[in-house]
Amino acid sequence: MRRVNLIRNIRQPDDDAIDDWLSGVRTPRPLSPDEILHAARNLGIQRPLLPVISVASLVGICILLISAWPLMRPEAMIWSAIGSGLAIFAIITSVVWDHVFRLSPANSARAIALGAIVLGAQWASAPVIFTDSIAGSLAMASLIVCVVGFSPIPIAQIGFITAFACISLIANIDGAHFVAMIAAAFLGVPIAYVAARQHFSAVNSVHKKAEGHARIAHRAETFEKNGNGWFWETDAHGRLTYASPKFTDAIDSEEQDILGHPLTDLAALDAELDDNSNSDMRALSFHLQARLAFSDVLLPVRVRDKIHWWSLSGHPTYDQFEKFVGFSGIGTDLTEVRNSEDKMAHMARFDPLTGLANRSTIRETLAKTLEQVKHDHTKVALFLLDLDRFKTVNDTLGHQIGDVLLEQVAERLDTLIGSDGRVGRLGGDEFAIVLSNASQREHLETLAKRIIEYLSAPYTVSSHRVVIGATIGIAIGPDDGHTVDAVLRNADLALYAAKGRGRGRHCFYEDDMHSAADARRLMEVDLRSALKNDGLSLYFQPIVDAGSEMLVGFEALARWYHPKYGEISPTKFIPLAEETGIIEQIGEWVIRSACAAAAQWPDHLRIAVNLSPLQFANPNLSSLVVNAIAQSQLPASRLELEVTEGIFLQENDTTKATLRQLDTLGVKLTLDDFGTGYSSLGYLLKAPFGKIKIDRSFVSGAAAKDGQKAAIVKAIVALANSLDMLTTAEGAETHDDLDTIRELGCSQVQGYIYSKPLSAEAALALAQKKTPLTAQGHKTNRAHRSVMLRSVEIYYENSRRKAKLRNISGTGAMFEADWKAEPGLHVEIFIDREPSRKGTIRWTNESRFGVLFDDHIEVPVGHMAPKATPERLSSAA
């Protein structure tokens, strides 16, 4: 029964709400139209009572007047007049009160009862008025007591009383026995009928409520048995007064052990609980003290040394005098749901592979730290790390090996940083570290070097020995930004700059990096415009047979002459094109233009075109080649496509299908830059290569006395001969190197010793000649140099930069600077008031780099003339 009451208090049933509404008691919620209609129907059982009693009273008075008129005393006349008036008034008001007074069902019921009481009281006084019979009045009192005991409804009791009063009165009038029988039949039968109807209606209502309580009890029992929850109740002071068996089972305690204790004592006040749990505790205490209903308040409860999470809902309860007596409610164990939510929240904040903080958590940590340093007047550092050569490992050894490697990298970083900062993985092979109290730049630099060294140490993954590296970009807040986005952007710029200076380095953010980033963005816009408006051009470098020195073909090289900045080195705009996705459009233009130019040459000459791995990943590459050779009517056998080992790092079905299609077309394939990457001899068997191209790094200096480069070239040539492949040595510039690669058996030679890249017109003219080409250039690789120490300015990447001239020769010079030079870029050198010299950066070694002049100059031995004339500077050897 307790659970039934609890459910009734928590979830107010419709019948209870209707009863309260009928009796005028305030209900906790508004009634629906259906409930109001149901209440009106119940009230309709009572409404005929007062009109019937009033009509019966009026008829009874008329019978009394007719039967006892000769014996009637004045007071009886007055009683009859008052009774008739009351009866008529009751009849009229009972008919019109709904339209005039618009009473509520509760007030309407009260009016019915009041009218019945008044008429009943009048008839109860009739025995004394008409017969002076005190015994009749006593008999009437006895009847009242009996009737009250038989009927539970006051209105029905009044009906019984009135009926018996009429019968008793008429029975005591002398000489009116026959009339008394008529009056009894007229008055008693209808009034008794209405009263009985009221009685049976009340009994039926009691039975219905009992059945409803039984259904509620069954539902409550089912609710608990299904494990959905349990019931509880407190007193006005918040102490538990009832706990259902399921409640005590959930807390693993006996009922007597918890009853009498405050409900809030069940909460586990542990330090490891988060702020949200404390907030829920405060919310529960507030609702209990304020006597407000609450629902789904999450409460941590310790059960057997483990935290369980309960969801509590409760409603204040009041007695019949509207006095607060406590709370009653239900509870549910949400531990599994909470654990699942915690797991999902953890997955949303942390990287599932490494367990480190993810990008959103790193941003949140950086934001909080930036806010803190404003008050502490300290600094926060953000390290952005990229793993060097990780993609190669991931593609060659598989993603599973790559994932294990990332886990080991995360462990090393977490061990190295510890509690000094927060380590996170932003995605792929990119990591981040947030460090507070980062005021000392020297400490950050030392830490960056330690990280690079620590991550560059060899790894062992599934019996594989793996070596990678790391490049770091560092931004310091608030110096390098007051917001999360600003610090992240500047750290990313520093990382990009570190990559540009050579991997395995770290770089702090500098203000001019924004200028470099803006220049790169503008260069991208200009490159797109150049591609669209024919701003690119093709140059062709001859490929010569090593023995006969006859021309065998050309290599097509893309060139970009910027209208403002002049010639842009391919080593600069080709990587930009690959990063921005323009390389596919450029590659398509190069293939079509090269085929169209080669179609004008003699039939024995071939054209070689470089392909980026990104181009080769395009499944439409073979179709593009077919369209190009069809439009130019160039035989497929005269087209050579040079690819690097990079196409096999992303080897998939598309790559294999493209290789088969190109081989079927008759296009020749060349493996370019062999020996410079993570070369695998197995690559030579993955495609029908007809030629291996030996990189210039092995060709230039092949005649050196140590013989190391010559040994490498010799091994490559022997491998190619055994596989029936040709070899092309690119980058030959001196007679000594040319003689060496000839002796080693190279098939073809390509380099400045025969010719620089030529325009399409000059290449066509050279192709039509049938005579051997003549090797030109210097005898040895190194000309005589004069030692110098002078300050110069070098126009590099759209700005003038300071440098020191260390030595100079007729072909080039060596410089030293505090900025990193990039090999392959074209520069212009300004020495005091002398004319500028143009050249190309050929090598770099830490702070020093060498420049090869575009034109040979005469330099006196031991010194440099203070003012050299333009003719002297431009004279060629």
Side-chain angles (χ1 to χ4, degrees):
M1 190 63 187
R2 177 67 67 94
R3 285 182 293 185
V4 173
N5 293 333
L6 289 175
I7 292 183
R8 292 185 61 189
N9 287 328
I10 297 169
R11 302 180 180 275
Q12 183 74 17
D14 292 345
D15 289 340
D16 296 337
I18 293 169
D19 292 342
D20 289 343
W21 186 62
L22 289 173
S23 60
V25 178
R26 178 178 54 85
T27 59
R29 61 176 177 81
L31 295 175
S32 67
D34 290 339
E35 293 170 342
I36 296 174
L37 179 61
H38 182 53
R41 288 173 179 172
N42 288 343
L43 185 63
I45 299 174
Q46 300 176 6
R47 282 187 172 171
L49 180 62
L50 183 60
V52 170
I53 294 176
S54 301
V55 172
S57 298
L58 186 60
V59 173
I61 292 172
C62 292
I63 293 174
L64 288 175
L65 290 175
I66 294 172
S67 62
W69 180 264
L71 303 176
M72 189 170 293
R73 294 176 296 180
E75 57 268 24
M77 297 293 293
I78 297 173
W79 179 91
S80 300
I82 294 174
S84 300
L86 289 174
I88 294 172
F89 177 78
I91 293 171
I92 295 174
T93 55
S94 64
V95 173
V96 302
W97 68 31
D98 279 345
H99 304 285
V100 177
F101 302 105
R102 299 184 180 277
L103 298 179
S104 67
N107 292 329
S108 180
R110 293 190 183 100
I112 292 172
L114 178 63
I117 290 171
V118 170
L119 291 177
Q122 180 193 9
W123 281 102
S125 63
V128 177
I129 297 296
F130 284 91
T131 65
D132 295 326
S133 176
I134 300 177
S137 298
L138 293 176
M140 182 63 67
S142 299
L143 287 173
I144 292 174
V145 173
C146 293
V147 171
V148 169
F150 281 117
S151 177
I153 302 178
I155 299 178
Q157 296 169 2
I158 298 301
F160 278 119
I161 293 170
T162 305
F164 283 109
C166 292
I167 295 172
S168 175
L169 174 64
I170 297 175
N172 280 278
I173 298 177
D174 295 333
H177 299 289
F178 179 74
V179 179
M181 292 177 62
I182 297 176
F186 187 79
L187 294 175
V189 173
I191 295 176
Y193 166 75
V194 174
R197 186 179 178 187
Q198 289 291 321
H199 176 78
F200 291 125
S201 176
V203 172
N204 187 39
S205 177
V206 170
H207 284 300
K208 285 185 178 180
K209 287 192 176 182
E211 291 177 359
H213 291 168
R215 288 196 301 269
I216 294 173
H218 177 70
R219 292 172 184 173
E221 185 176 0
T222 304
F223 179 81
E224 284 194 330
K225 284 184 178 180
N226 291 337
N228 296 324
W230 51 82
F231 302 95
W232 55 269
E233 189 175 52
T234 68
D235 59 13
H237 302 286
R239 295 186 294 259
L240 284 169
T241 58
Y242 172 75
S244 64
K246 202 74 175 178
F247 186 104
T248 56
D249 292 343
I251 202 172
D252 195 24
S253 298
E254 297 296 334
E255 184 176 5
Q256 61 270 16
D257 296 334
I258 61 175
L259 294 183
H261 294 276
L263 178 64
T264 54
D265 285 357
L266 299 176
L269 303 178
D270 289 1
E272 66 266 19
L273 296 177
D274 55 18
D275 293 338
N276 292 333
S277 301
N278 296 328
S279 176
D280 286 338
M281 268 297 305
R282 291 192 295 270
L284 177 61
S285 300
F286 169 76
H287 283 83
L288 292 176
Q289 293 175 5
R291 303 176 182 178
L292 298 175
F294 58 89
S295 62
D296 299 328
V297 174
L298 204 60
L299 185 70
V301 179
R302 181 171 293 280
V303 180
R304 298 173 186 170
D305 296 330
K306 292 184 179 180
I307 297 297
H308 285 239
W309 297 93
W310 289 2
S311 175
L312 297 181
S313 298
H315 194 282
T317 57
Y318 300 86
D319 59 12
Q320 64 273 25
F321 303 107
E322 293 296 319
K323 179 182 178 182
F324 174 72
V325 295
F327 269 84
S328 57
I330 60 175
T332 307
D333 193 333
L334 298 181
T335 303
E336 294 184 2
V337 176
R338 175 63 182 256
N339 292 339
S340 299
E341 291 177 351
D342 290 344
K343 185 176 180 179
M344 294 180 63
H346 185 275
M347 293 176 63
R349 292 176 54 81
F350 294 89
D351 177 54
L353 176 63
T354 63
L356 300 177
N358 60 11
R359 181 181 293 273
S360 62
T361 306
I362 285 294
R363 288 181 60 92
E364 179 183 336
T365 303
L366 183 58
K368 291 181 179 178
T369 311
L370 281 172
E371 189 66 26
Q372 181 180 352
V373 299
K374 292 180 181 179
H375 305 286
D376 299 343
H377 303 290
T378 57
K379 297 181 180 179
V380 55
L382 175 65
F383 284 35
L384 289 186
L385 291 79
D386 257 4
L387 301 183
D388 302 335
R389 302 183 296 276
F390 172 77
K391 189 175 185 301
T392 302
V393 175
N394 204 30
D395 293 334
T396 55
L397 299 181
H399 291 282
Q400 292 183 347
I401 299 296
D403 289 346
V404 176
L405 179 59
L406 288 175
E407 292 177 357
Q408 295 187 13
V409 169
E411 290 177 2
R412 292 190 182 187
L413 284 175
D414 202 28
T415 301
L416 185 61
I417 301 302
S419 59
D420 294 336
R422 183 156 208 176
V423 183
R425 180 186 175 212
L426 304 184
D429 61 344
E430 187 177 4
F431 293 81
I433 302 173
V434 179
L435 298 169
S436 57
N437 298 323
S439 300
Q440 297 183 359
R441 190 182 182 98
E442 296 79 7
H443 173 71
L444 298 178
E445 187 168 3
T446 302
L447 179 60
K449 292 179 179 179
R450 286 180 59 196
I451 293 174
I452 294 174
E453 180 181 359
Y454 200 32
L455 297 185
S456 300
Y459 300 81
T460 301
V461 184
S462 300
S463 72
H464 295 281
R465 187 175 184 272
V466 179
V467 178
I468 59 174
T471 304
I472 302 177
I474 307 171
I476 302 174
D479 296 347
D480 300 334
H482 295 273
T483 64
V484 173
D485 291 333
V487 175
L488 278 169
R489 181 183 65 249
N490 294 337
D492 192 56
L493 289 175
L495 177 61
Y496 185 81
K499 291 179 180 179
R501 298 177 184 180
R503 298 187 181 272
R505 297 173 178 268
H506 71 277
C507 182
F508 286 89
Y509 168 76
E510 297 175 1
D511 292 337
D512 59 356
M513 291 179 181
H514 273 290
S515 301
D518 292 339
R520 178 175 174 274
R521 180 180 56 81
L522 293 175
M523 180 178 290
E524 177 186 349
V525 174
D526 292 344
L527 180 58
R528 293 182 183 275
S529 177
L531 178 62
K532 183 179 180 180
N533 300 317
D534 298 328
L536 300 179
S537 59
L538 273 188
Y539 274 66
F540 303 88
Q541 187 170 30
I543 302 175
V544 182
D545 181 79
S548 65
E549 293 189 322
M550 292 296 295
L551 182 67
V552 296
F554 293 89
E555 179 182 2
L557 303 171
R559 292 292 184 265
W560 178 22
Y561 186 86
H562 196 281
K564 181 177 181 180
Y565 303 113
E567 184 178 345
I568 306 296
S569 171
T571 59
K572 193 170 184 179
F573 74 82
I574 292 299
L576 176 63
E578 291 180 335
E579 293 177 9
T580 56
I582 315 175
I583 190 64
E584 291 192 12
Q585 302 175 39
I586 295 178
E588 180 178 355
W589 171 81
V590 170
I591 291 176
R592 294 185 184 277
S593 301
C595 290
Q600 304 178 32
W601 303 338
D603 294 341
H604 68 283
L605 298 181
R606 294 180 178 178
I607 180 65
V609 177
N610 282 290
L611 288 183
S612 166
L614 297 178
Q615 293 176 258
F616 211 86
N618 186 356
N620 298 321
L621 176 61
S622 56
S623 300
L624 188 155
V625 172
V626 169
N627 291 333
I629 58 180
Q631 290 179 1
S632 62
Q633 298 184 352
L634 179 74
S637 59
R638 292 180 58 191
L639 175 62
E640 292 183 3
L641 297 179
E642 298 183 358
V643 298
T644 63
E645 301 152 352
I647 67 168
F648 300 111
L649 296 181
Q650 297 180 347
E651 187 177 9
N652 48 40
D653 294 339
T654 300
T655 302
K656 295 177 181 178
T658 302
L659 288 171
R660 288 195 301 267
Q661 293 168 358
L662 293 176
D663 183 48
T664 303
L665 290 174
V667 175
K668 304 301 179 182
L669 295 177
T670 300
L671 184 59
D672 196 9
D673 297 338
F674 184 78
T676 59
Y678 292 88
S679 301
S680 172
L681 299 181
Y683 291 157
L684 297 174
L685 303 177
K686 291 181 178 292
F689 291 112
K691 183 190 294 186
I692 296 177
K693 207 163 189 180
I694 305 174
D695 189 73
R696 66 176 63 250
S697 61
F698 303 126
V699 175
S700 180
K705 293 181 181 181
D706 57 14
Q708 293 180 353
K709 293 184 177 182
I712 296 175
V713 174
K714 182 178 180 180
I716 297 175
V717 171
L719 176 64
N721 291 338
S722 65
L723 296 175
D724 196 22
M725 297 180 182
L726 300 175
T727 53
T728 298
E730 62 175 345
E733 296 181 359
T734 66
H735 287 272
D736 290 346
D737 290 340
L738 178 60
D739 293 340
T740 300
I741 58 179
R742 279 177 177 169
E743 293 175 1
L744 295 176
C746 287
S747 307
Q748 300 172 354
V749 180
Q750 176 184 348
Y752 277 25
I753 193 169
Y754 284 110
S755 175
K756 294 181 178 181
L758 305 173
S759 63
E761 294 78 8
L764 177 61
L766 181 62
Q768 292 174 347
K769 292 183 180 180
K770 300 181 179 181
T771 58
L773 275 66
T774 302
Q776 300 177 351
H778 302 286
K779 173 67 177 174
T780 60
N781 287 316
R782 181 183 178 116
H784 179 75
R785 301 191 176 193
S786 297
V787 178
M788 296 287 171
L789 184 60
R790 299 185 63 176
S791 296
V792 299
E793 288 186 349
I794 298 180
Y795 190 77
Y796 175 85
E797 289 189 335
N798 307 326
S799 64
R800 286 197 177 195
R801 304 193 181 190
K802 299 289 185 181
K804 292 183 179 179
L805 174 64
R806 288 296 183 182
N807 58 52
I808 191 170
S809 69
T811 57
M814 182 179 73
F815 300 90
E816 184 176 6
D818 58 359
W819 44 273
K820 181 67 176 178
E822 181 180 351
L825 292 183
H826 200 262
V827 297
E828 188 172 5
I829 304 162
F830 301 88
I831 306 176
D832 294 338
R833 290 171 293 177
E834 299 174 1
S836 63
R837 300 171 176 81
K838 295 183 178 181
T840 303
I841 300 174
R842 300 307 304 271
W843 59 268
T844 61
N845 184 10
E846 294 183 353
S847 61
R848 296 190 177 189
F849 58 93
V851 175
L852 177 66
F853 295 146
D854 290 347
D855 299 311
H856 186 272
I857 63 172
E858 294 290 339
V859 179
V861 179
H863 70 282
M864 177 181 286
K867 291 185 180 180
T869 62
E871 293 80 6
R872 184 176 182 181
L873 291 171
S874 61
S875 61

